[in-house]
């Protein structure tokens, strides 16, 4: 087949100019052929009819332009386009016939009807033929997915143009809240209001709705998604213009709905002085710098331009990955920060002391921890030693070597914990509180928050993967709820909270409203264009409840007591928690290590019930071979 795909590479104005030229030639020939058909012969003095023949394209082409025949994307025209052709051609021939009669230009009157019919078939047929040839050349399936773009602004228009070369999608309509745009056309695509979506889905079998309003804030985006949720369409989102390369929209920018979009939580602008206070021109170390929170801390710390950034990490692969990210940032922004990456264990006191002394570290962000509840439940000794003993070791070294600021990344699971991971993190907080009383020269700060989005084990990527495989989606319990926060927001608030501490402070981040995981699962299914299986077995994706995992709580809390104060930042609160003196804590830590070395987890459990406020372990204790 003749390859015409080179037409796609032409600029828009060249495509329109070519279409106008082809129509001009076609209309001239139609004027001649109509007379031939009327006369029944091809031999006659054409020169007698030249004025009338030339007049036809002169009158018709402006009408075609005005009625939008040259704005239509040929690949995506449909049968409804024939009506536009009928209107344009009929009006053009009405003008032509009127001009012939008024000016008394010589042309067979009966040939006018023949020419009109020929023009109808030519204008509509030529476009449908080109469309067919293009689709065949591109290997396009005629059953391309019908797409509605929400947002008829500049981003929506760019997105429609970006979809032009794609074989598997066609834009059938725009939806916009601006009533002044209703029933206008962008190209050949009409703009509708929200109330028209049901009709559009039925009429065009719409499968995808692309949200192309980058200016929406988080709460506005959440409201739009809530409106779209009941419809059986797959919803995709165009990110903010700040996230789009070069400010030019492409289809590759479109992404699936994330949990951030569903939560609709607007971030608070960080306070620059709090971000820079413990970092700028200082020597900073991040332990666990290759993890979800640790790596984001490193990125944000680097942007505040410390003198030296030391990334301390146990995993070689994680350390290599974050090193590459940070080197790229340094090169891109021209930062002068000296980057040091170091493999090491937070329980290795001698190595830590050498590192801190050698580099004269001023601020430490301690993010190294085992955080997955079920994993720690099955590896109790490793979890307790890494999270509790490791934190105590790093903090003790920091205190003894004169580090000025020490910030611990804690968790809401430390509050009245029902698992060993939560208990280990509460003990880590208590270690810092105890050390503060003996080492006032070091400012120890703890920052407690809930689940971070996008970290390993986040629920949305898991739900998406399960949906791709046809389900079921697994949720542990129908009533389980969690607090959520984005990793960048959490890291930013950790840095700011660390700057506000005066010593021994437990800061709690405002996580917003808790979210029921089952409701989140339902929304993800709906926004993927599918339905949840109901009691009668009707639907696409089943939600299966698997039961709470070992040590898992239905509801997480952020505070042990009610004694909490506000701070200068609206998203950061200050809690006041009870703690042990340093000698008492060190005695308990020795006991804990002894129980772990003997694999006596029942004794460990009893000890934690005594010293960790509200500890109530909710899974069977097994004598694991934890070495």
């Amino acid at each position: 087949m003749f390859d015409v795909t080179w037409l796609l590479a032409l600029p828009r104005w060249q495509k329109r100019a070519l279409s106008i030229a082809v129509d001009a030639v076609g209309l001239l020939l139609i004027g001649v052929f109509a007379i031939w058909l009327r006369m029944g012969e091809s031999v006659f003095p054409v020169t007698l009819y030249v004025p009338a023949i030339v007049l036809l394209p002169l009158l018709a082409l402006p009408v075609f332009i005005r009625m939008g025949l040259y704005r239509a994307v040929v690949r995506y025209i449909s049968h409804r386009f024939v009506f536009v052709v009928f209107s344009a051609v009929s009006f053009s021939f009405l003008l032509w016939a009127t001009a012939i009669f008024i000016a008394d230009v010589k042309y067979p009157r009966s040939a006018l009807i023949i020419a009109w019919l020929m023009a109808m078939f030519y204008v509509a047929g030529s476009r449908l033929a080109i469309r067919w040839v293009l689709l065949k050349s591109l290997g396009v399936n005629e059953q391309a997915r019908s797409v509605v773009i929400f947002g008829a602004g500049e981003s929506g228009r760019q997105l429609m143009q970006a979809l032009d070369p794609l074989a598997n999608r066609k834009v059938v309509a725009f939806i916009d809240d601006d009533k002044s745009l209703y029933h206008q056309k962008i190209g050949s695509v009409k703009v509708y209001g929200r109330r028209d979506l049901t009709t559009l889905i039925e009429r065009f079998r719409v499968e995808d709705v692309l949200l192309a309003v980058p200016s929406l804030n988080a709460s506005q985006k959440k409201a739009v998604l809530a409106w779209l949720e009941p419809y059986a369409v797959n919803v995709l989102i165009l990110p903010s213009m700040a996230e789009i390369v070069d400010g030019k929209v492409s289809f590759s920018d479109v992404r699936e709905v994330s949990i951030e979009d569903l939560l609709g939580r607007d971030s608070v602008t960080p306070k620059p002085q709090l971000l820079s206070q413990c970092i700028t021109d200082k020597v900073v170390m991040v332990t666990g710098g290759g993890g979800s929170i640790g790596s984001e801390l490193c990125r944000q710390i680097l942007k505040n331009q410390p003198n030296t950034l030391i990334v301390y990490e146990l995993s070689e692969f994680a350390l290599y990955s974050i090193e590459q990210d940070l080197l790229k940032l340094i090169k891109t922004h021209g930062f002068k920060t000296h980057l040091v990456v170091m493999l090491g264990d937070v329980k290795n006191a001698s190595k830590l002391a050498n590192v801190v002394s050698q580099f004269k570290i001023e601020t430490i962000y301690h993010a190294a921890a085992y955080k997955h509840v079920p994993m720690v439940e099955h590896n109790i000794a490793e979890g307790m030693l890494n999270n509790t003993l490791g934190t105590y070791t790093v903090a003790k070294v920091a205190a003894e070597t004169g580090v000025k600021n020490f910030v611990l990344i804690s968790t809401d699971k430390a509050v009245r914990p029902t698992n060993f991971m939560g208990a280990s993190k509460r003990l880590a907080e208590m270690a810092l509180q105890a050390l503060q009383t003996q080492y006032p020269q070091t400012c120890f700060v703890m920052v407690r928050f809930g689940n971070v989005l996008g970290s390993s084990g986040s629920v949305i990527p898991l739900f998406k993967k399960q949906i791709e495989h046809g389900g079921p989606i697994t949720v542990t319990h129908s009533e389980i709820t969690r607090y959520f926060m984005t990793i960048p927001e959490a890291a930013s608030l950790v840095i700011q909270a660390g700057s506000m501490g005066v010593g021994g402070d437990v800061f709690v981040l405002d996580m917003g409203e808790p979210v029921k995981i089952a409701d989140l699962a339902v929304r993800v299914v709906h926004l993927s264009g599918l339905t949840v299986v109901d009691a009668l077995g009707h639907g696409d994706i089943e939600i299966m409840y698997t039961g709470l995992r070992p040590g898992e709580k239905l509801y997480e809390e952020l505070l042990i007591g009610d004694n909490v104060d506000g701070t200068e930042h609206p998203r950061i609160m200050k809690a006041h928690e009870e703690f042990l003196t340093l000698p008492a804590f060190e005695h308990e830590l020795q006991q804990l290590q002894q129980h772990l070395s003997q694999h006596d987890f029942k004794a460990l459990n009893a000890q934690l019930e005594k010293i960790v406020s509200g500890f109530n372990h909710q899974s069977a204790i097994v004598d694991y071979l934890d070495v």
Side-chain angles (χ1 to χ4, degrees):
M1 179 179 292
F2 180 61
D3 186 9
V4 294
T5 54
W6 58 271
L7 289 170
L8 302 178
L10 293 177
R12 191 78 177 146
W13 70 269
Q14 289 186 13
K15 293 176 185 176
R16 289 178 177 176
L18 182 60
S19 297
I20 291 171
V22 170
D23 280 350
V25 173
L27 290 171
L28 289 172
L29 293 175
I30 285 169
V32 175
F33 291 155
I35 301 174
W36 285 358
L37 291 173
R38 168 66 183 83
M39 300 297 185
E41 58 180 344
S42 59
V43 180
F44 62 91
V46 177
T47 53
L48 295 175
Y49 308 107
V50 166
I53 293 171
V54 172
L55 188 60
L56 175 58
L58 291 178
L59 292 174
L61 292 177
V63 174
F64 290 0
I65 293 170
R66 182 68 182 84
M67 296 188 72
L69 289 187
Y70 302 112
R71 292 199 304 268
V73 180
V74 174
R75 273 171 294 161
Y76 296 145
I77 60 174
S78 61
H79 299 296
R80 65 192 175 97
F81 186 71
V82 174
F83 175 75
V84 179
V85 171
F86 174 81
S87 302
V89 172
S90 298
F91 185 68
S92 300
F93 271 75
L94 181 62
L95 288 177
W96 187 43
T98 302
I100 287 174
F101 281 112
I102 292 175
D104 196 25
V105 179
K106 192 174 182 60
Y107 196 83
R109 302 304 187 248
S110 54
L112 290 171
I113 303 298
I114 298 173
W116 173 72
L117 290 171
M118 292 178 68
M120 285 284 297
F121 283 109
Y122 169 75
V123 176
S126 62
R127 283 155 175 77
L128 293 174
I130 292 172
R131 174 181 181 274
W132 182 81
V133 172
L134 276 173
L135 293 179
K136 289 296 182 182
S137 299
L138 291 167
V140 175
N141 182 351
E142 284 288 331
Q143 300 303 318
R145 294 172 69 95
S146 295
V147 172
V148 167
I149 296 178
F150 183 93
E154 182 59 30
S155 296
R157 295 164 194 247
Q158 285 188 35
L159 184 56
M160 183 182 73
Q161 292 174 359
L163 286 166
D164 277 358
L166 298 185
N168 60 345
R169 283 181 171 85
K170 60 179 178 181
V171 179
V172 297
F174 282 93
I175 287 180
D176 201 283
D177 289 331
D178 185 351
K179 293 183 179 180
S180 67
L181 296 176
Y182 289 1
H183 306 304
Q184 291 189 24
K185 286 188 177 180
I186 299 174
S188 62
V189 181
K190 198 171 182 180
V191 180
Y192 297 86
R194 291 196 191 197
R195 64 182 181 278
D196 300 310
L197 183 56
T198 300
T199 304
L200 292 171
I201 291 173
E202 294 173 354
R203 182 179 176 187
F204 297 109
R205 299 179 187 175
V206 174
E207 297 180 66
D208 297 327
V209 173
L210 307 186
L211 183 55
V213 191
S215 60
L216 292 181
N217 61 34
S219 56
Q220 290 171 329
K221 192 181 297 180
K222 178 184 178 182
V224 174
L225 291 175
W227 165 67
L228 287 170
E229 185 185 339
Y231 297 96
V233 292
N234 182 40
V235 180
L236 300 170
I237 291 179
L238 193 67
S240 67
M241 293 306 295
E243 301 174 74
I244 297 172
V245 179
D246 299 328
K248 188 173 182 180
V249 174
S250 68
F251 185 67
S252 61
D253 294 315
V254 175
R255 59 171 174 77
E256 293 183 329
V257 174
S258 69
I259 191 170
E260 294 97 316
D261 304 316
L262 297 179
L263 295 179
R265 178 180 165 89
D266 290 316
S267 59
V268 174
T269 304
K271 296 178 179 290
Q273 70 275 15
L274 294 179
L275 287 174
S276 62
Q277 185 171 313
C278 297
I279 296 173
T280 303
D281 296 327
K282 292 181 169 55
V283 181
V284 181
M285 181 167 81
V286 179
T287 66
S292 302
I293 288 290
S295 59
E296 181 61 26
L297 276 171
C298 288
R299 295 183 193 97
Q300 293 198 23
I301 288 168
L302 188 60
K303 291 175 183 177
N304 284 282
Q305 302 186 54
N307 177 283
T308 303
L309 174 59
I310 299 161
V311 185
Y312 194 86
E313 171 62 53
L314 184 62
S315 165
E316 180 188 23
F317 175 76
L319 186 63
Y320 173 79
S321 298
I322 187 59
E323 180 188 28
Q324 298 307 303
D325 286 352
L326 297 178
L327 288 174
K328 185 176 179 181
L329 272 176
I330 290 172
K331 183 178 179 181
T332 302
H333 297 283
F335 294 141
K336 303 300 182 183
T337 299
H338 179 214
L339 178 65
V340 178
V341 294
M342 197 165 294
L343 282 170
D345 189 336
V346 292
K347 300 189 295 295
N348 189 335
S350 60
K351 175 165 186 173
L352 285 166
N354 287 334
V355 171
V356 174
S357 300
Q358 179 183 344
F359 290 97
K360 296 182 173 57
I361 293 171
E362 298 169 84
T363 301
I364 294 177
Y365 293 93
H366 181 56
Y370 293 138
K371 63 182 180 180
H372 293 284
V373 170
M375 191 69 72
V376 174
E377 287 296 295
H378 291 86
N379 297 274
I380 298 171
E382 280 301 314
M384 297 295 297
L385 291 172
N386 185 76
N387 294 354
T388 301
L389 179 62
T391 299
Y392 171 77
T393 302
V394 180
K396 184 76 177 291
V397 167
E400 291 176 342
T401 53
V403 172
K404 294 179 181 178
N405 305 289
F406 187 101
V407 182
L408 167 67
I409 312 302
S410 191
T411 171
D412 57 357
K413 293 173 178 62
V415 178
R416 282 183 274 273
T418 58
N419 50 69
F420 288 111
M421 195 285 283
S424 70
K425 293 298 286 184
R426 176 58 191 141
L427 286 172
E429 292 179 354
M430 293 169 67
L432 267 62
Q433 291 172 307
L435 285 164
Q436 186 68 76
T437 60
Q438 298 292 318
Y439 298 93
Q441 73 277 11
T442 299
C443 179
F444 289 103
V445 171
M446 295 132 275
V447 185
R448 189 187 289 165
F449 53 91
N451 298 273
V452 288
L453 309 174
S455 64
S456 55
S458 285
V459 292
I460 292 294
L462 174 62
F463 289 166
K464 290 284 188 183
K465 194 171 185 180
Q466 291 172 333
I467 289 171
E468 288 173 6
H469 289 86
I473 283 181
T474 54
V475 178
T476 57
H477 194 283
S478 60
E479 295 299 318
I480 194 166
T481 63
R482 289 292 181 266
Y483 291 97
F484 289 99
M485 178 177 283
T486 66
I487 292 178
E489 184 180 14
S492 173
L493 290 175
V494 163
I495 293 172
Q496 293 176 80
S499 299
M500 292 191 293
V502 294
D505 308 276
V506 178
F507 289 109
V508 179
L509 303 187
D510 174 10
M511 303 292 295
E513 294 298 319
V515 179
K516 189 178 287 188
I517 303 300
D519 292 345
L520 206 57
V522 170
R523 297 194 69 186
V524 173
V525 172
H526 288 168
L527 292 170
S528 298
L530 302 169
T531 56
V532 176
V533 173
D534 59 24
L536 299 176
H538 303 309
D540 303 307
I541 302 293
E542 179 187 3
I543 294 180
M544 180 183 294
Y545 298 103
T546 58
L548 292 175
R549 297 173 297 180
E552 191 171 35
K553 295 170 72 172
L554 271 181
Y555 310 100
E556 296 293 358
E557 305 169 90
L558 290 167
L559 296 170
I560 295 175
D562 298 323
N563 192 3
V564 61
D565 299 324
T567 68
E568 60 184 283
H569 195 290
R571 288 277 170 87
I572 302 174
M573 300 173 290
K574 183 177 178 180
H576 301 275
E577 313 283 24
E578 295 180 356
F579 58 93
L580 300 174
T581 64
L582 183 58
F585 178 82
E586 290 179 335
H587 172 73
E588 295 293 346
L589 187 59
Q590 290 174 0
Q591 289 284 102
L592 181 143
Q593 290 178 267
Q594 182 178 342
H595 295 324
L596 291 175
S597 66
Q598 297 171 354
H599 301 284
D600 190 348
F601 299 118
K602 290 183 180 179
L604 172 67
N605 191 76
Q607 181 190 11
L608 294 176
E609 287 179 347
K610 183 182 70 171
I611 62 173
V612 176
S613 178
F615 178 73
N616 180 21
H617 196 257
Q618 293 183 358
S619 62
I621 299 173
V622 181
D623 291 330
Y624 300 105
L625 294 177
D626 194 346
V627 296

